């Protein structure tokens, strides 16, 4: 097997950082200016966590590409970390935004678009009743309130390394069999292990042990893990997960915010999952901030019952702890309707999945040619190369394969040559506008990076 040495990584990183600073003078100047008014020089602090020595400032984006303020074009395989899964500014969504901009942005009242979106969501995902929120974090948080109220149970089970936005209940990890706060969590006051329980993904024995006490309201679950490095479910895992939750009177929430890349109806349709609640965010309105959650008829009946009990007590009207003033505003509802009807089509998915398969196979060929002990995981329009010989089966295994210096170098090498992939790990996403030659550009550029790294490593040895 080939070996990439730390010295080779450090040497190439120094060269690539110098190249970035030389090639991006406007981004460098804006980064300096921004520190006077923006904390960390960016409007959201994680925007400075990329591999570039200073933030890369964007001018505009369209389709599968974006352009920086220095005039460089980039093929985008990150796509806003799924927010622009169907391309930047899809024409039907852009047209819908322009139409609605003159017809009212928010009124805190429903319109015809709301009815249409509810029907479209029910048809697409198979759950009959829906609500709309602003972000997937909100959708997950609201559903957790519902399931606790319905069941009268306090605890939520999540999987170690999960991604459910910034929901407090999911900010936990499993360490040596114990639930602990996720590293890096800032300002947390309440102990999270009181009402949250983390178990390893694909570990059915650990899951059953977590449920056996009868105090778990719901399991909150991604169909496949996507934010700790991609981790696919074992064959039969979801069937057993559903059986276990039903056996112990626990509800099942499926979060398809990332895995909607798999199928027009998500993994829920593709894999015949049977959630009690389904949450979605990011891409559902074509990049406009919006999320949704759906439920079964039985859950809707239980939700009505909970609300009725509160009303009979003469308390709580309008104070459920769910919803924001801008939730389901007129602009996002019109954009979501356009996205569901004209962008998230069968044809769009067919193209996305085809290009993603080509990309995954290209990664495998590169790894084999360079004799690297790496693997490739793919899920619909999404794939990832990982620094481990076998695809990981748990979040801990995926995390153990991280090599931050190497990952940072490869990402910067790609950026310097006009290609962007998802930061923090090596995930890629193809959209309906992604072209075969753009996939080839990513593969060719990564091939060059690996060739240089391995040559330097041999010299160092």
């Amino acid at each position: 097997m080939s070996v990439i040495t730390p010295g080779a990584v450090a040497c190439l990183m120094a060269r690539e950082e110098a190249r970035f600073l030389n090639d991006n003078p406007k981004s460098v100047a804006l980064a300096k200016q921004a520190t006077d008014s923006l904390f960390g020089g960016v409007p959201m602090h994680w925007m400075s966590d990329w591999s570039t020595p200073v933030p890369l400032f964007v001018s505009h984006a369209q389709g599968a590409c974006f352009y920086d303020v220095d005039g460089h074009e980039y093929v985008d395989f990150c796509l806003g970390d799924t927010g622009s899964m169907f391309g930047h500014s899809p024409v039907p969504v852009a047209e819908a935004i322009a139409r609605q901009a003159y017809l009212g942005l928010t009124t805190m009242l429903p319109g015809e678009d709301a009815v249409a979106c509810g029907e479209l969501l029910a048809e697409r995902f198979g759950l009959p009743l829906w609500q709309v929120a602003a972000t997937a974090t909100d959708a997950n948080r609201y559903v957790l309130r519902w399931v606790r109220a319905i069941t009268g149970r306090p605890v939520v089970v999540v999987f170690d390394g999960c991604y459910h936005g910034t929901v407090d209940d999911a900010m936990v990890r499993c360490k040596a069999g114990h639930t602990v706060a996720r590293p890096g969590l800032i300002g947390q006051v309440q102990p999270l292990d009181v009402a949250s329980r983390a178990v390893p993904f694909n570990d059915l024995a650990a899951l059953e042990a977590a449920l056996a006490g009868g105090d778990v309201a719901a399991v909150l679950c991604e169909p496949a893990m996507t934010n700790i490095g991609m981790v696919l479910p074992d064959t039969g895992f979801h069937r057993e997960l559903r059986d276990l939750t039903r056996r112990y009177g626990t509800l099942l929430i499926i979060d398809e915010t990332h895995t909607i890349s798999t199928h027009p109806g998500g993994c829920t349709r593709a894999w015949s999952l049977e959630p009690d609640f389904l949450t979605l965010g990011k891409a559902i309105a074509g990049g406009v901030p919006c999320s949704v959650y759906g439920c079964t008829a039985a859950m809707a009946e239980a939700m009505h019952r909970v609300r009725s009990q509160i009303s009979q007590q003469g308390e709580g009207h309008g104070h459920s702890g769910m919803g924001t003033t801008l939730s389901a505003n007129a602009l996002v509802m019109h954009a979501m309707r356009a996205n569901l009807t004209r962008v998230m089509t069968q044809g769009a998915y067919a193209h996305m999945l085809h290009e993603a398969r080509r990309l995954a196979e290209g990664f495998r060929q590169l790894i084999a040619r360079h004799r690297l002990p790496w693997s490739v995981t793919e899920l619909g329009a999404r794939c990832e190369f990982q620094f481990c010989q076998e695809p990981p089966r748990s979040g801990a295994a995926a995390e153990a394969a991280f090599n931050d210096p190497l990952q940072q170098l490869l990402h910067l090498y790609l950026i310097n040559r006009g290609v962007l992939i998802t930061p923090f790990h090596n995930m890629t996403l193809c959209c309906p506008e992604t072209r075969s030659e753009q996939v080839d550009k990513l593969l060719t550029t990564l091939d060059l990076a690996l060739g240089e790294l391995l040559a330097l490593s041999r010299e160092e040895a």
Side-chain angles (χ1 to χ4, degrees):
M1 288 291 179
S2 298
V3 175
I4 294 173
T5 63
V9 171
C11 177
L12 205 53
M13 188 66 174
R15 188 195 77 185
E16 292 300 312
E17 286 182 336
R19 174 171 173 164
F20 180 91
L21 294 171
N22 181 72
D23 290 353
N24 295 277
K26 290 185 179 179
S27 276
V28 171
L30 282 171
K32 182 178 180 181
Q33 180 184 344
T35 59
D36 294 333
S37 58
L38 297 172
F39 173 72
V42 286
M44 178 52 71
H45 68 83
W46 44 255
M47 289 182 176
S48 63
D49 291 343
W50 291 72
S51 58
T52 54
V54 301
L56 179 66
F57 283 78
V58 175
S59 167
H60 61 286
Q62 181 64 55
C65 295
F66 73 92
Y67 303 81
D68 69 21
V69 292
D70 286 285
H72 304 124
E73 178 182 1
Y74 299 83
V75 182
D76 190 0
F77 291 94
C78 174
L79 296 166
D81 193 20
T82 302
S84 294
M85 179 185 296
F86 303 103
H88 296 290
S89 295
V91 172
V93 174
E95 292 173 346
I97 292 170
R99 281 194 304 272
Q100 192 63 39
Y102 292 95
L103 300 174
L105 302 180
T106 186
T107 60
M108 214 169 70
L109 291 165
E112 182 182 334
D113 287 328
V115 179
C117 285
E119 293 171 348
L120 289 164
L121 290 165
E123 178 183 6
R124 182 178 286 257
F125 297 104
L127 289 100
L129 296 160
W130 292 82
Q131 292 280 271
V132 180
T135 68
T137 294
D138 288 338
N140 284 319
R141 187 181 292 125
Y142 303 158
V143 170
L144 291 181
R145 282 187 175 271
W146 280 120
V147 298
R148 284 172 166 142
I150 289 167
T151 64
R153 297 176 174 186
V155 177
V156 172
V157 166
V158 297
F159 290 102
D160 182 45
C162 65
Y163 178 70
H164 301 291
T166 54
V167 176
D168 286 3
D169 307 78
M171 290 290 164
V172 290
R173 297 297 303 272
C174 181
K175 296 294 183 185
H178 299 285
T179 299
V180 299
R182 181 174 170 176
L185 192 58
I186 293 172
Q188 183 65 39
V189 178
Q190 300 297 330
L192 294 176
D193 61 345
V194 173
S196 295
R197 205 165 287 156
V199 299
F201 196 67
N202 282 321
D203 189 335
L204 291 168
L207 175 61
E208 182 165 13
L211 299 180
D215 58 349
V216 178
V219 174
L220 174 59
C221 177
E222 302 168 87
M225 301 188 78
T226 59
N227 210 55
I228 191 79
M230 286 173 60
V231 181
L232 301 184
D234 289 346
T235 301
F237 172 74
H238 278 288
R239 182 182 64 253
E240 293 295 327
L241 165 62
R242 182 69 276 199
D243 287 348
L244 283 170
T245 53
R246 286 176 171 149
R247 185 183 312 164
Y248 290 101
T250 299
L251 301 179
L252 177 62
I253 309 163
I254 294 291
D255 181 349
E256 292 258 28
T257 296
H258 277 176
T259 55
I260 186 62
S261 61
T262 304
H263 182 275
C267 293
T268 297
R269 283 291 205 192
W271 298 349
S272 300
L273 306 182
E274 299 177 358
D276 298 294
F277 288 89
L278 174 68
T279 61
L280 286 156
K282 288 194 180 182
I284 197 67
V288 178
C290 180
S291 67
V292 297
Y293 61 95
C295 66
T296 64
M299 290 300 100
E301 182 179 345
M303 291 156 71
H304 281 303
R305 185 165 59 249
V306 167
R307 293 193 67 189
S308 176
Q309 291 168 352
I310 292 174
S311 297
Q312 289 171 10
Q313 296 167 5
E315 300 175 353
H317 178 70
H319 299 284
S320 65
M322 289 173 271
T324 60
T325 306
L326 293 177
S327 296
N329 68 71
L331 180 67
V332 303
M333 298 308 294
H334 200 52
M336 179 162 54
R337 184 178 184 178
N339 197 50
L340 288 168
T341 55
R342 299 178 58 198
V343 179
M344 294 176 63
T345 64
Q346 291 281 358
Y349 272 90
H351 178 84
M352 293 161 63
L353 269 59
H354 172 74
E355 293 302 329
R357 282 192 294 270
R358 286 189 66 249
L359 181 54
E361 182 55 30
F363 283 150
R364 291 189 181 99
Q365 290 176 8
L366 281 181
I367 290 167
R369 184 161 67 252
H370 290 288
R371 301 181 65 249
L372 292 164
W374 299 355
S375 57
V376 177
T377 303
E378 60 180 307
L379 179 73
R382 198 182 286 283
C383 64
E384 177 175 9
F385 61 93
Q386 292 166 287
F387 304 138
C388 49
Q389 200 152 6
E390 297 294 331
R393 294 183 55 249
S394 69
E399 186 177 42
F402 284 0
N403 182 331
D404 289 340
L406 176 57
Q407 170 205 290
Q408 293 283 90
L409 167 63
L410 293 176
H411 288 214
L412 181 56
Y413 192 103
L414 291 168
I415 287 170
N416 279 339
R417 290 153 185 82
V419 180
L420 191 80
I421 66 174
T422 303
F424 318 126
H425 49 122
N426 301 314
M427 190 165 64
T428 64
L429 183 60
C430 293
C431 75
E433 303 298 322
T434 302
R435 302 190 307 273
S436 295
E437 58 266 32
Q438 293 170 328
V439 169
D440 293 340
K441 179 174 181 177
L442 167 53
L443 293 170
T444 299
T445 309
L446 181 60
D447 190 20
L448 290 172
L450 295 175
E452 287 202 63
L453 264 175
L454 289 168
L456 285 170
S457 297
R458 286 191 292 271
E459 290 175 10
E460 189 177 76

